[in-house]
Amino acid sequence: MYRTRTDVAPLESSFFKLPDTLLLVFAQDWSLRMISEAWSATLGYPHGELQQRSFLDLLHEDDQAAAIEKLATLSHDNPTLRFSTRCRRQDGGYLGVVWNVSYDAADGLNYASAHETAINLNGDDARLPDMFIDGLTGLPNRSLFLDRLEHTMRRSERRKDLQFAVLYCGIDRFKVVNHSLGHRMGDLLLMSVANVIRNIIRPTDMAARMAGDEFAMLLEDIRDVSATLLVLNRIQQKLVLPFSLEGNEVFATVSFGIVVRSPTHHTPDEMIRDANMSMVRAKAQGGGSYVVFNQEMHDRAVRRLELELDLRHALERGEFQAYYQPIVSLADRRLSGFEALVRWLHPAKGLISPVEFIPVAEEIGFIVPLGRWMLREACRQAREWQLRWPDATPLTVSVNLSARQLLHPDLLEDVAAALADTGLAPTLLKLEITESAMMEDAERAIAILHRLKDMQIKLLLDDFGTGYSSLSYLHRLPIDTLKVDRSFIMYLHEKENARHFVETIVHLAHKLGRDVICEGVELEEQAEILAAMGAEYSQGFLYSRPVAANEAEMLILTGLDEV
Ligand code: C2E
Ligand code: MG
Ligand code: MG
């Protein structure tokens, strides 16, 4: 056992970057043939003293067997290897080192360099540096990558000419390989891709496995983004060939996100986040391509993050309002009800359109509490109007439901509670569901719709014609009304095919015993065409934009013509 001295002061923070010239050469019998002065200095030995030693002497006793085993795999066909060990310092402490060893068959010598960040480990509590190596691929892991990136970023603050980039990549449809061929094939594919990456980058650059099927490369001292494109082209070319994994031919493509150093990035995490985001975009383009991160993407990401944070507080701060847009019966131009549309009055940014925040709210799950609030508010308002004008024909209120809400386990209870607590009759409530929301889990959605129908609530299929409309399943949906999307109404008066389309939908709806609402009616001419077609209802700026509750009351009182 090596004796360790406990009086050695641990190095601050215990991470540091090894100088670039840590090189040593050893023969097959482990004898050291050359060791750079920097190495001797790093380990704390006077230069010359190590010349007579064996390579194994430098390693922690407990790491020697593993190192021997790994080095035995070096051969003419497998000439490079990366592994990590603890290295013994002269003062008794240890240094964690990631070795990069190349075997030269011509002279039978091993050339070992340590490019990676090393960690100072102190005596007894020396931890295995393997915690910085990914067990499967042998590549450095995320922590080591972040550490190295941080050093590079710091170095670049002093050297403004130092240009570097992070190349982030993920295997396209990796889950499919994993599921269809099994996890072992998945692992083999990861190892193969890791090898491609390892062999293509320069030895001074770093590649790491970041998570699952994702890898990152740090390319230093590059001229501009074109250098990163060269690297990714070379990787793509290698991946064009199918991998032969235990007899299976597996094709793999990867998507890349590229971030070149920019003043907007202050921490390694920010750089990785943006590289990752760019990769996700590349994947969304179908895979096998790349996206270079730019300032506009950055700004958008920042805005989106702010929006997310603000959204989460907006409900408790009472920043949402329900607006109401009239729905008008085409036959007699009477007000039949309102669609409730949410509005967000942001204290700093003013009125924000639901088109901007509803998708975000859906993604982060916030749509569930927000939708619950809207439902209650709309029911409460409709009931209030009914009580105020008891002699008028009761107005209906339509509330939009997103996919997340529809499939949420509490939905039925929420709806029942909103009706019970406000006293609104279920027959006056209409729920608007889009086709895409239906398609997320059609069978479950249909079951839920049936339950809502059982409660006597009316159901509308919103934005009809824009989704995956499959006319064959329409008759299976327990809906009362098709809501024809604005994009078909827009050209109704000037394009024959738009007219044919709407006419067909109206016929179809009537055949199935449903009625029709046409959205986005802006012109009198459009309303007339729709009335002639026999469509029941219309909604649009022709009658009124969505308005706040007090303005909606004016519409109820004075009738639509006078507004
Ligand atoms: P939607 O449910 O299809 O609502 C109709 C949208 O069309 C509304 O936009 C309305 O202002 C607009 N619109 C109505 N008539 C006309 C017209 O004649 N011309 C034009 N150009 N536009 C017209 P808004 O209020 O911006 O809402 C957009 C979308 O946001 C809604 O589409 C709906 O999908 C969603 N949304 C709004 N409120 C809620 C809500 O409370 N919950 C959920 N889940 N989604 C909501
Ligand atoms: Mg709607
Ligand atoms: Mg719509």
Side-chain angles (χ1 to χ4, degrees), residues 256-274:
F256 290 91
I258 302 171
V259 175
V260 181
R261 168 212 170 163
S262 86
T264 52
H265 294 116
H266 303 291
T267 66
D269 282 316
E270 288 172 2
M271 239 179 131
I272 304 272
R273 178 201 63 203
D274 290 344

Side-chain angles (χ1 to χ4, degrees), residues 245-528:
L245 305 177
E246 292 187 341
N248 293 291
E249 300 237 301
V250 178
F251 289 88
T253 58
V254 289
S255 297
F256 290 91
I258 302 171
V259 175
V260 181
R261 168 212 170 163
S262 86
T264 52
H265 294 116
H266 303 291
T267 66
D269 282 316
E270 288 172 2
M271 239 179 131
I272 304 272
R273 178 201 63 203
D274 290 344
N276 187 25
M277 182 175 82
S278 309
M279 179 202 72
V280 170
R281 291 185 153 234
K283 280 200 174 187
Q285 292 172 4
S289 67
Y290 66 90
V291 166
V292 182
F293 180 81
N294 58 31
Q295 185 59 40
E296 191 231 304
M297 274 170 82
H298 173 83
D299 295 346
R300 207 176 325 140
V302 169
R303 274 203 308 275
R304 146 105 208 204
L305 207 64
E306 284 173 359
L307 194 73
E308 255 185 63
L309 290 175
D310 290 351
L311 253 185
R312 292 184 193 279
H313 294 118
L315 198 56
E316 69 216 37
R317 293 184 186 149
E319 291 168 10
F320 292 112
Q321 261 186 55
Y323 268 46
Y324 298 91
Q325 187 176 30
I327 295 168
V328 178
S329 153
L330 276 165
D332 54 11
R333 298 292 174 109
R334 284 170 67 104
L335 179 64
S336 104
F338 288 100
E339 176 175 7
L341 294 154
V342 67
R343 294 289 179 266
W344 179 9
L345 194 59
H346 189 283
K349 296 177 184 152
L351 206 60
I352 303 182
S353 159
V355 183
E356 208 174 313
F357 68 83
I358 292 282
V360 181
E362 273 173 17
E363 220 170 280
I364 63 175
F366 179 71
I367 191 71
V368 173
L370 173 60
R372 193 181 288 137
W373 179 84
M374 271 300 282
L375 180 70
R376 258 175 189 271
E377 180 58 19
C379 291
R380 187 200 60 74
Q381 187 62 72
R383 177 67 179 156
E384 189 190 307
W385 286 331
Q386 205 188 350
L387 292 173
R388 197 173 319 162
W389 296 290
D391 298 334
T393 320
L395 296 168
T396 61
V397 68
S398 305
V399 179
N400 292 282
L401 280 195
S402 77
R404 281 286 270 273
Q405 270 178 287
L406 181 68
L407 299 174
H408 194 276
D410 293 345
L411 176 80
L412 295 169
E413 242 172 82
D414 285 346
V415 174
L419 290 170
D421 295 349
T422 59
L424 187 74
T427 45
L428 295 179
L429 177 63
K430 299 186 174 192
L431 295 176
E432 303 200 355
I433 295 126
T434 61
E435 289 169 280
S436 38
M438 293 281 316
M439 294 318 283
E440 243 168 62
D441 185 348
E443 291 310 315
R444 240 185 92 206
I446 290 174
I448 294 168
L449 295 186
H450 277 290
R451 300 284 303 277
L452 290 166
K453 267 285 17 125
D454 293 344
M455 292 162 74
Q456 293 186 298
I457 292 162
K458 296 256 172 358
L459 301 174
L460 274 66
L461 200 55
D462 203 352
D463 303 345
F464 187 77
T466 60
Y468 312 89
S469 337
S470 157
L471 298 180
S472 59
Y473 88 110
L474 203 55
H475 72 277
R476 286 188 56 208
L477 296 182
I479 47 148
D480 303 278
T481 307
L482 292 185
K483 213 168 169 183
V484 183
D485 191 67
R486 183 167 73 87
S487 51
F488 303 104
I489 309 300
M490 211 152 45
Y491 301 111
L492 197 62
H493 56 295
E494 52 191 22
K495 286 197 178 155
E496 205 177 353
N497 54 356
R499 194 153 51 225
H500 285 320
F501 182 85
V502 178
E503 207 160 25
T504 309
I505 295 176
V506 173
H507 283 314
L508 176 79
H510 289 170
K511 265 214 155 69
L512 295 170
R514 326 292 204 235
D515 51 26
V516 175
I517 299 184
C518 297
E519 297 188 279
V521 176
E522 296 187 1
L523 306 169
E524 183 55 44
E525 211 179 333
Q526 295 164 338
E528 278 162 19

Side-chain angles (χ1 to χ4, degrees), residues 21-27 30-59 87-88 99 110-114:
T21 47
L22 294 181
L23 196 73
L24 56 80
V25 181
F26 60 94
W30 309 113
S31 60
L32 286 173
R33 297 296 172 84
M34 194 286 281
I35 183 161
S36 67
E37 208 165 315
W39 234 146
S40 300
T42 301
L43 295 177
Y45 292 95
H47 195 56
E49 190 174 306
L50 286 172
Q51 300 288 10
Q52 313 303 323
R53 301 279 196 90
S54 109
F55 173 68
L56 294 179
D57 277 349
L58 299 179
L59 309 185
C87 260
R88 190 171 167 258
W99 296 98
N110 295 300
Y111 293 78
S113 58

Side-chain angles (χ1 to χ4, degrees), residues 82 132-141 144 190 193-195 197-198 201 207-209 215-216:
R82 229 179 246 239
F132 295 105
I133 295 295
D134 170 53
L136 181 68
T137 61
L139 287 178
N141 65 12
L144 198 53
L190 287 172
V193 171
N195 278 336
I197 292 172
R198 194 183 349 245
I201 61 167
R209 179 164 175 220
F215 299 89

